[in-house]
Amino acid sequence: MAETSVVTLSRHIVEEERRHPEATGAFSNILYDIALAAKIISREVNKAGLVDILGQAGSRNVHDEVVKKLDVFADEVICKAMDHTGDLCCMVSEEHPDIVAIPEKFPRGKYVLLYDPLDGSSNIDLNVSIGTIFSVHLKVTEGPDGRLEDCLQPGRRQLAAGYVVYGSSTMLVYTSGAGVHGFTLDPSIGEFLLSHPNIHIPESTSRTYSVNESYYDLWGPGQRQFVSELKRQEGLSARYIGSLVADFHRTLLSGGVFMYPADSRSPRGKLRLLYEAAPLAMICKEAGGGAIDGHGDILDQLPTELHQRTPLYIGSLDLVECARTLVSGDSER
């Protein structure tokens, strides 16, 4: 019988760390803590229909979106899992208008964490897959506290990026610039196990395109032409969940393209650059794909504000390049 090797997330991180003798362990600790927060959030998501955690919290976040109770819970879990470790100088969350400072009573480190605690939360009540997205940057300013300059860095400077999808199973996918790896949570032992090593976007399988076509009348001519071209491609079908993490996860594993284009109502796009588009773009690039805002690479965008929005085309490289050719005239420059 062939020997079976079970690789946990912890073991994988340790093995990756051994390749870098200069590593201090702080970066690994950040990934451990994110995984712990994901386990706690996963537990609450899975029992959300059984307890009084669904529904609205009665407030709105910085984007004037109604905050759901589970959004608040996920944000607090991540914040409390990360703020005391001494590894971070600050955080940025979708749920906070400004930088989340590390409390004075805790030590500060040299990393910045940017995250969307619960992407797709409008689907909570419908039991649709939702997720967490995160990005890690190295501090670039002097002094112990994180500053705006530490957070407003282009995606190419990310040290790591990842997401967790809470679906029929909970899966954590991350990259630190040396491949993309996926880990599935085994709830019976409470461990993330390596299930998808060295993920690459397939080139010729049952690929999909994913876009909300109800906005067709608001699109520019290039976007309309691009979708028409996709409809004519053999073997390419339409799939749209309406949860960024879930749609991107399918695209990463099956191939194709996900897009949330600019339109006449949202000329700057809708997705957030720092903690949605940029981290997913890093993952996609490491998996052999691409990500653009309609004309330029997402990873090259220089952010000017924490909650900056952007159009997004992400997935198989050939389809992303086709989008670049056809829709570049529609994108606001």
Side-chain angles (χ1 to χ4, degrees), residues 238-255:
R239 296 287 187 275
Y240 185 72
I241 300 170
S243 170
L244 172 60
V245 168
D247 279 312
F248 174 72
H249 185 65
R250 183 196 57 250
T251 301
L252 182 67
L253 297 184
S254 299

Side-chain angles (χ1 to χ4, degrees), residues 203-209 227-238 255-256 318-319:
E203 295 182 0
S204 58
T205 59
S206 181
R207 302 197 298 176
T208 63
Y209 75 88
V227 171
S228 295
E229 291 289 335
L230 294 174
K231 290 178 183 294
R232 286 195 287 266
Q233 286 201 22
E234 185 176 354
L236 197 63
S237 57
D318 61 326
L319 297 179

Side-chain angles (χ1 to χ4, degrees), residues 233-292:
Q233 286 201 22
E234 185 176 354
L236 197 63
S237 57
R239 296 287 187 275
Y240 185 72
I241 300 170
S243 170
L244 172 60
V245 168
D247 279 312
F248 174 72
H249 185 65
R250 183 196 57 250
T251 301
L252 182 67
L253 297 184
S254 299
V257 61
F258 168 85
M259 63 196 111
Y260 206 118
D263 57 44
S264 59
R265 192 164 56 186
S266 303
R268 296 182 180 274
K270 187 174 181 181
L271 299 179
R272 288 78 181 185
L273 174 61
L274 285 177
Y275 42 79
E276 290 181 327
L280 297 186
M282 180 182 183
I283 295 168
C284 196
K285 177 181 179 296
E286 286 295 322
I292 64 172

Side-chain angles (χ1 to χ4, degrees), residues 141-315:
T141 64
E142 299 294 330
D145 296 319
R147 301 179 182 176
L148 195 58
E149 300 96 308
D150 299 310
C151 306
L152 299 181
Q153 299 188 59
R156 291 202 185 276
R157 292 185 183 174
Q158 292 174 111
L159 296 181
Y163 65 87
V164 183
V165 59
Y166 310 106
S168 55
S169 60
T170 294
M171 188 170 172
L172 185 152
V173 177
Y174 92 98
T175 182
S176 57
V180 179
H181 308 285
F183 301 79
T184 300
L185 179 63
D186 183 341
S188 67
I189 61 174
E191 288 281 0
F192 280 104
L193 305 180
L194 181 63
S195 55
H196 295 69
N198 298 309
I199 297 172
H200 286 86
I201 296 182
E203 295 182 0
S204 58
T205 59
S206 181
R207 302 197 298 176
T208 63
Y209 75 88
S210 185
V211 64
N212 188 345
E213 295 192 56
S214 67
Y215 293 133
Y216 182 89
D217 290 340
L218 303 177
W219 291 342
Q223 174 64 27
R224 295 182 187 182
Q225 183 183 355
F226 179 48
V227 171
S228 295
E229 291 289 335
L230 294 174
K231 290 178 183 294
R232 286 195 287 266
Q233 286 201 22
E234 185 176 354
L236 197 63
S237 57
R239 296 287 187 275
Y240 185 72
I241 300 170
S243 170
L244 172 60
V245 168
D247 279 312
F248 174 72
H249 185 65
R250 183 196 57 250
T251 301
L252 182 67
L253 297 184
S254 299
V257 61
F258 168 85
M259 63 196 111
Y260 206 118
D263 57 44
S264 59
R265 192 164 56 186
S266 303
R268 296 182 180 274
K270 187 174 181 181
L271 299 179
R272 288 78 181 185
L273 174 61
L274 285 177
Y275 42 79
E276 290 181 327
L280 297 186
M282 180 182 183
I283 295 168
C284 196
K285 177 181 179 296
E286 286 295 322
I292 64 172
D293 62 1
H295 51 91
D297 289 356
I298 289 290
L299 294 175
D300 290 331
Q301 280 199 37
L302 182 61
T304 57
E305 54 187 84
L306 292 178
H307 302 288
Q308 184 170 326
R309 297 176 185 266
T310 181
L312 177 65
Y313 299 79
I314 189 168

Side-chain angles (χ1 to χ4, degrees), residues 40-55:
I40 298 171
I41 296 169
S42 175
R43 180 191 64 196
E44 296 303 309
V45 168
N46 289 336
K47 69 179 184 181
L50 304 177
V51 297
D52 184 24
I53 200 167
L54 287 179

